[in-house]
Amino acid sequence: MMRSLWTAASGMKAQQTNVDTIANNISNVNTVGYKTQTTQFKSLLYQTLATETTTANGEQKPSTAQVGLGTRVASLNSIFTQGAMLASESDSAFAIQGDGFFSVRNANNEILYTRNGNFNWSLQNPTTLQLSTQEGYAVLDQNGQPIVLPAGVTSGQVEVSSTGQIGYRNQQGQLTLTNFTIGLTQFNNPTGLEKTGNSFYKVTAASGNPMPEAQNANLVRSSIVQGYLEGSNVQVADEMVNLIVAQRAYELNSKAITTSDTMLETANNLKR
């Protein structure tokens, strides 16, 4: 019975993490570029109660009897399916169709990756603009350099093609292409990326090395859509169902503890 207490307790702890993950998904249903997470479980060690043996008469006993000792959270995996395209009034809003990530450089000169294309053109000096995130991080081109417009070009003149090529139109409507193309990067295992907050990711050994799309001909190229943002891929109906299942599992484990406690109380009262 003491075994059942610890086993049920491990189930309650695991389901608490599951509920926390589902709550985080629901809270980020309107977060641009957010990818839903799922909780994966693993069973704990098994205790052998009886082994397979042969009696004196040569009879074979039943197979080994083992009892499990509970469960634990194995991992929290992000699901990188495509989110819905949300129209934006901003000319510096970009959505990715495909498996690519935007590359940005933060204040510590670290390279981060994101699916959140809610950018803006920040003023670098009185005459030039640089493409930046809402946090002020520089968005990088396919060569790993900040994207800076020529002097005098305003954000309203900028046009970005589906390949990420940046150009601008003059007063006569003529399009002039710049040397900058918004860089997109893919990973062998995006689930292995480390989350740093604000929809940013860092490279880890599990994710594999970044693979710039411009330098890898074997990759399926992503496309960029100007004037749109990629919404969260959280499905609220699915999350509510998962929340009910997790809650019921938590209640079942709680009931198992209550039942075990009642059995222990009965056993203690037998001597009276």
Side-chain angles (χ1 to χ4, degrees), residues 51-73:
T51 59
E52 183 179 354
T53 60
T54 302
T55 64
N57 298 328
E59 297 178 356
Q60 192 75 16
K61 285 190 174 181
S63 59
T64 302
Q66 291 180 303
V67 62
L69 299 180
T71 185
R72 70 177 179 87
V73 175

Side-chain angles (χ1 to χ4, degrees), residues 65-83:
Q66 291 180 303
V67 62
L69 299 180
T71 185
R72 70 177 179 87
V73 175
S75 63
L76 301 177
N77 296 340
S78 296
I79 309 300
F80 284 90
T81 55
Q82 184 74 44

Side-chain angles (χ1 to χ4, degrees), residues 121-123 125-130 148-159 166-170 176 178:
W121 293 100
S122 59
L123 194 64
N125 55 55
T127 58
T128 60
L129 299 174
Q130 175 180 285
V148 181
L149 295 178
V153 177
T154 63
S155 59
Q157 300 175 259
V158 176
E159 291 187 7
I166 296 178
Y168 60 92
R169 293 189 181 275
N170 56 23
T176 301
T178 68

Side-chain angles (χ1 to χ4, degrees), residues 190-208:
T191 303
L193 291 169
E194 178 185 348
K195 302 172 184 64
T196 62
N198 295 328
S199 297
F200 292 117
Y201 300 89
K202 290 177 63 176
V203 176
T204 66
S207 67

